[in-house]
Structures are given as structure tokens and as C-alpha cells.
Amino acid sequence: MQPAFLRNLSVMALGIATLSIALADDVQRTSPEPAARTTTPIQHVIIVIGENHTFDNLFGVYKPRGGQTIHNLLSQGIVNADGSPGPNFATAVQQQAGNTSVYRIDPSLTGAYPFLPQPQTTYATGLPPGVPDMRFPANLPPGPFQITTYVPYDSYVGDPPHRFFQMWQQVDQGRHDLFAWVGATTGIGPDNSFNPSTYGPNNTFQGGEALGFYNMSTGDAPKFKALARRYALSDNDHQSIMGGTGANFLAIATGDVAYFNVNGVPAQPFGNQIENPNPQPGTNNWYTKDGYTGGSYVNCADPSQPGVSAIQGYIDSQPGHAFHGGNCAADTYYLVNNYGLGYTFDGKAKPVLATNFTLPPQTIPTIADALSAKQVSWKWYSGGREPTRTTKEYCGICDPFTAFTSIMTTPLKAHLQGVPELYADLADEMLPAVAFVRPYESQAGHPANATTSAFENFVADLVDKVKAHPALWQHTAVLVTVDEGGGYYDSGYIQPVDFFGDGTRIPLLAISPWARRGHVDHTYADHASILKFIEKNWRLKPLSARSRDNLPNPRQGDDDRYVPTNRPAIGDLMSMFDFKQVKEGEDDHAGEGQRDGSD
């Protein structure tokens, strides 16, 4: 996600021709027993989506219950349980690189950092923007470091870069060794509303903050730790798209990627909105056209376009190729970063101009369309929609259905509601079958303008509210994840699915009476797995011929359970549950405090 002061670009109302479809729908409170039959005991799924944490950033020093294995910083020996560098710390040491002529995802390495560049404040709440964060030392070892060694767990910290071409470089074809270098050399790109006298190739407002992690073994994230030990955790779930919030929320809604269009027909966007990650002359990786008020569209079917051949060549070298050509249609400019969405939350079309950085209204099939067609109830609850909250609590690009004509020009837009409506629906036991929840901005966990502690408190409180209704709880699954890794370091495998990703691992918890107790699931997953879970549970078909929910479930080999042998492949999350177990009520303390050798 972009910095807070760029998130709410002002727009003017402008009439845009929209396609009206006949999708009348009654959004009256639904009963807790949806009419549609399910394939499992789960009759309600609540998907809670926070922001910007990789798996290692949050669960990097998590110790699972006895009998479970996990891939994280601790298990790989990168760090010790106390957060200090471990015996295999060298495998995560960050490298410097040289890239002075053309964009590469694997630039030539020029040597390891002796120390991390000192973390910077970016725009962290209560701190001056874009200066060294003096709470952290200037001589941090050149790899992962524990954030809470230096600041309390509930502190605001700086925000690493997390954009499309930057993320491809950060992971360096699976070597994961250029997170610090990318931050220091290009940051969030040249096209941003910073003072050019202070922001530029010699000061990107970024240091080594991308290597920070929280430590559950020393008391960080205690509620997330308890939920993981009691329910199920995936250590192989990923963001679908390399890059930031906007593209990944759209992927959660569609399993696909949005594109520039005129009345639904692909078209070439404004020149200032086309990405060009080639370095500017005389710089080391300072992109030519990229930023929150600049380039964000890519015609990835054209190998002559800047940056395309570097990524496409890597994808073409991988096994599988389920999506020929990287899933890139000809003459189509895909949105790979963050722009404002085509409608206001109350259904007014926004202008699409060179200076407005607004994605035109989309006609891609969504999970909301599929659910509505099968009369399966759904809602998207966004924090900050209600007028009693300030606009700073609402994230427009985190409300993805406001991008779609089929939702915003029909009665379906009434399904887009606020968090107070969520709590009211829970209290009245009128929860829809499928509920997406994006917390208030201050509780979503985004670095710099929110905290991880606020996000876990939101999640824990919501789970308690569901459990307060035993009949509802017995048929509910709460899936907790984030939109993307926020540019933080992660040590896990990334499957090259198509031109757009996957990206780094992110946390995913399955909280339900039917979740496998204390289980750590290794099945490869990404945002499309949420769609596949919904589709399998409510007997829906894949959303389109090109959406990722078409991919098969992974087959796991004996050598590496994290890498599908039939890749590209994406799981459906069913392996996180045990639907054969007999439910006779839940022991609220099961699994807590057991002497299982894991702590």
C-alpha cells in the first residue's frame, strides 16, 4: 500500500457509461442457515484481511505444537529463539548489486552489506518522515533482526517498499537477498509527491526495515500465537501478485488482474501511467517511470516493453506453463500496483484522467457475481465506511468490489457495508454465508500507520464475538490473512505461477471448530485458494477461463512438501480442516500449556 498521504487521491464526479446487468438482489438480513447446500459443515466463512506482513515477519520464530514441522527463520537456523543471528544467518545476508543500464530481476551482485542500511521512519505515525530511525542502531547485522529488541511491540515502525518490479528484484529468483538493496536504490519509485530536494536516488526514504521481524518466542503477537497453536496455520500461503495492496485485493475478489479499458475494451493508458523500471542514466536502479502518482500499468504480452522480458524469461523457464505467455493477453495493460478504484463506495463513477490515477470500471468476473448467481449470501465489510469515522479509517483500494460495474451499478452495491454492520449481523445471528472483512485502517496492521498488535486485537475480538454464538460458531470458519507481505523479508519458496506472481509468503490462519488442532499446513496456497475454498464448499465453478482458481490442487513430493510436483498448482485450503472429526463441544483450553516440547 502507498503512504497514507497518497492513499486518498482527490477525485471529481464524472459520468462514465456503465454496463447494467440484471442482478437484482435482496440484501435483507439473512438467516444463519443459508439456503445453499455446502459440501462441508462450514455454512459461514469469514475472511479477515489485514495488511503487509510476510510469514517470517510475523511467524518467523513461532514454535508449533509437538509433532508439527514448520519452515521459518528459526527452523532454518537463520535466527535463534532469542532473535539473535543463528548458525545459518549467512543464508539470509543481504547483497548489494549493480544495475546501471536495464531492469533485471537478478542484477549482478557486487558484495554483501557489511551492515544493514539504518532503518528509516518513512511516514511512521509520530515520527518525522524519511529520516534514519534512531531507535535502531546503524550497525545491524546484514540480515533479519528482531524489531522488538529496540522498540516495544505496539510501536509504529517504518514501511518497506512493496511494489511490483521492486518485489521481483527483492526475491532475486528465490535467493531472497536484495530486500535492503532495492529499498536503498529505488524505494517506492521516482513518481511520488515528495520534495525532490530531499527524495531521490540518493535518498529513497528507505533503509533496512524490510529485514525486521517479530518474535513470538519472546512474547510478541501472543494472540496470533495462541490462535495458531489452537487452530490451523499455513506456512506456505502467498500473495498472488508481486506488489502492493490494490492489485492483491483485486486478486482476492477475482483470482485475476485488472486492466486499463475504455467501456470494457482493453486500451492503452496515459503515457505517464505506464511502468518503466529501467534505471535512469547514471543511477543504480533508480527507475525511470514508477510510483503512486506515476507508472503502474504493464503490457506484459509485449517483450519489448521495459521490464517484461526479464520476468517473462524467468516464468518461461519454469515447469508447467498452465497459463501460456504468463497469462498476459495481447494489447492489454494490466494494473500491477495501486490506483484508486472506478467508483466511490456509494456508486458514483470517478474520472479516469492522466492526473487522477484511477482504474477504469472493470468487467472481470468476481466471486461476488458467482455467489449472487447461485443465491449464496455475501457481504464485504470495510472499516471506515460509516460517517462517524474519519476518512482516514477507510481504505478505498482495500474495498475491491468498488472497481466493478456488475456490483456498483446494480443493487449488489448494498452488500458493501461497514464494520458496525458486521457486528450487528453477528449479534443478531444474521451473518451471510461469505463475509469479507477489512478492519479499520488503524487496526489493519499496515506498518507506519497501524500496528501489528492492533490487528491481532481486532482478530481476537472478532473470533470471540463469533464464539459467543455457539450455534453459529459450530458451522463457521474464520480465515485470517493479509493482502501482501509489505516488502518484508521471507525465507520461503515462491512458485512462479505467471507474469504477476506469486509473491512472498504471508500468514494464513484457519480458525474453526473444524480446523485441525495446532496443525501447520504445508500445501501451497495463494489468494486464489480462498476462492477455491468458497467454490468447493458452495459448488461453484471457476470464475473465468484465466482466473487462478482453475489451477489444480498441488501434489506434494517426498523431497520437498512445499514445492508442488505438478506446478503451477494452488490448494483449496481443505487440508487445514478435519471434517470427519466428531464435534461434541470445544474445550476452550485445548492445546494451551501442554508440555509437548515445543516451548
Side-chain angles (χ1 to χ4, degrees), residues 538-574:
W538 279 278
R539 297 180 172 87
L540 308 179
K541 296 180 180 180
L543 298 181
S544 73
R546 55 169 285 121
S547 55
R548 288 220 190 136
D549 49 349
N550 285 279
L551 292 173
N553 283 344
R555 294 195 297 267
Q556 295 177 321
D558 295 332
D559 294 338
D560 192 336
R561 300 186 65 189
Y562 292 88
V563 181
T565 60
N566 59 330
R567 57 191 183 275
I570 303 291
D572 60 14
L573 306 185
M574 290 293 175

Side-chain angles (χ1 to χ4, degrees), residues 310-578:
I311 299 172
Q312 201 68 277
Y314 177 57
I315 297 299
D316 290 345
S317 72
Q318 303 301 306
H321 307 303
F323 290 124
H324 180 71
N327 212 17
C328 299
D331 301 318
T332 303
Y333 286 80
Y334 294 95
L335 183 73
V336 294
N337 286 304
N338 298 352
Y339 278 171
L341 303 184
Y343 297 92
T344 62
F345 66 75
D346 55 356
K348 296 182 178 66
K350 298 178 184 178
V352 179
L353 304 171
T355 55
N356 280 8
F357 309 103
T358 298
L359 175 71
Q362 298 291 299
T363 57
I364 304 169
T366 75
I367 189 63
D369 300 318
L371 290 167
S372 296
K374 291 293 186 179
Q375 298 183 343
V376 179
S377 57
W378 67 272
K379 289 184 181 180
W380 187 289
Y381 302 95
S382 288
R385 273 182 165 267
E386 64 277 21
T388 56
R389 289 270 180 164
T390 67
T391 57
K392 292 181 180 180
E393 290 284 15
Y394 175 71
C395 171
I397 60 174
C398 310
D399 201 358
F401 292 132
T402 61
F404 297 95
T405 300
S406 64
I407 307 297
M408 301 310 295
T409 65
T410 74
L412 292 182
K413 69 182 179 184
H415 292 245
L416 310 185
Q417 299 182 3
V419 169
E421 285 81 5
L422 166 66
Y423 292 155
D425 287 348
L426 277 172
D428 295 341
E429 296 191 356
M430 296 295 180
L431 194 70
V434 178
F436 294 92
V437 181
R438 197 277 180 179
Y440 294 107
E441 181 73 8
S442 62
Q443 298 174 321
H446 191 292
N449 66 343
T451 64
T452 312
S453 61
F455 178 46
E456 73 168 345
N457 288 338
F458 179 92
V459 170
D461 177 69
L462 178 59
V463 171
D464 286 345
K465 282 180 166 61
V466 177
K467 293 177 71 173
H469 302 274
L472 175 65
W473 168 244
Q474 285 297 316
H475 298 283
T476 296
V478 182
L479 302 178
V480 180
T481 188
V482 298
D483 55 346
E484 40 99 1
Y488 280 115
Y489 174 87
D490 189 82
S491 63
Y493 166 73
I494 298 172
Q495 181 180 196
V497 176
D498 55 31
F499 178 85
F500 308 102
D502 277 341
T504 52
R505 291 186 306 170
I506 54 177
L508 175 67
L509 287 162
I511 304 166
S512 172
W514 300 94
R516 297 175 65 182
R517 290 295 186 89
H519 175 65
V520 180
D521 195 79
H522 308 317
T523 308
Y524 193 96
D526 76 3
H527 290 322
S529 299
I530 295 173
L531 301 177
K532 291 184 72 172
F533 180 86
I534 294 169
E535 290 161 358
K536 185 169 184 178
N537 198 48
W538 279 278
R539 297 180 172 87
L540 308 179
K541 296 180 180 180
L543 298 181
S544 73
R546 55 169 285 121
S547 55
R548 288 220 190 136
D549 49 349
N550 285 279
L551 292 173
N553 283 344
R555 294 195 297 267
Q556 295 177 321
D558 295 332
D559 294 338
D560 192 336
R561 300 186 65 189
Y562 292 88
V563 181
T565 60
N566 59 330
R567 57 191 183 275
I570 303 291
D572 60 14
L573 306 185
M574 290 293 175
S575 56
M576 300 182 75
F577 298 87
D578 180 4

Side-chain angles (χ1 to χ4, degrees), residues 136 145-154 213-215 218 220:
F136 297 94
F145 68 92
Q146 182 175 329
I147 294 171
T148 50
T149 299
Y150 308 101
V151 300
Y153 171 58
D154 59 358
F213 64 88
Y214 295 99
N215 189 343
T218 60
D220 297 341

Side-chain angles (χ1 to χ4, degrees), residues 97-104 107 181 278-286:
N99 183 11
T100 58
S101 60
V102 67
Y103 175 83
R104 291 175 58 183
W181 178 78
N278 287 333
Q280 295 182 25
T283 70
N284 184 21
N285 208 43
W286 181 246

Side-chain angles (χ1 to χ4, degrees), residues 62-135:
Y62 171 68
K63 300 177 184 179
R65 292 174 61 174
Q68 297 294 308
T69 61
I70 194 168
H71 181 115
N72 62 9
L73 297 175
L74 181 62
S75 71
Q76 299 304 299
I78 295 172
V79 303
N80 298 315
D82 63 1
S84 63
N88 297 326
F89 185 78
T91 63
V93 163
Q94 296 298 289
Q95 300 289 326
Q96 301 174 82
N99 183 11
T100 58
S101 60
V102 67
Y103 175 83
R104 291 175 58 183
I105 61 174
D106 60 340
S108 300
L109 302 182
T110 59
Y113 278 100
F115 303 103
L116 283 181
Q118 187 169 18
Q120 294 211 15
T121 58
T122 58
Y123 60 98
T125 299
L127 298 173
V131 298
D133 191 336
M134 303 305 292
R135 299 173 300 175

